[in-house]
Amino acid sequence: MNHLARRCGVHDAAREAACLQTAQLIEASGIQRVRLGWCDAHGMLRGKTLMAHAAIKALRDGAGMVAR
């Protein structure tokens, strides 16, 4: 695997379990969109809405934060 968290050295068994549990929850609940939120370097709230399949992929690969 060449996922972002692994490349950054922060992936462990607990994170893997949390990713799997979250993916299962998204799928089992029939959730269609997931809203991600984070603070930028200036403390401003930023967000992105992803389709469920993209959110599950983002758990491992990350989500781009640059607006286009």
Side-chain angles (χ1 to χ4, degrees):
M1 284 188 247
N2 193 22
H3 303 301
L4 177 65
R6 188 173 302 282
R7 289 193 313 263
C8 294
V10 297
H11 189 81
D12 59 12
R15 185 180 184 287
E16 178 67 21
C19 287
L20 289 173
Q21 181 180 16
T22 302
Q24 290 170 349
L25 178 63
I26 291 169
E27 291 172 342
S29 299
I31 293 172
Q32 295 179 0
R33 292 174 189 82
V34 176
R35 181 81 173 155
L36 304 176
W38 63 89
C39 290
D40 69 10
H42 304 287
M44 297 295 297
L45 179 63
R46 303 293 178 192
K48 183 172 281 208
T49 301
L50 300 174
M51 297 304 292
H53 68 276
I56 291 170
K57 186 176 185 301
L59 290 171
R60 299 216 180 234
D61 299 336
M65 295 189 297
V66 178
R68 291 186 181 187

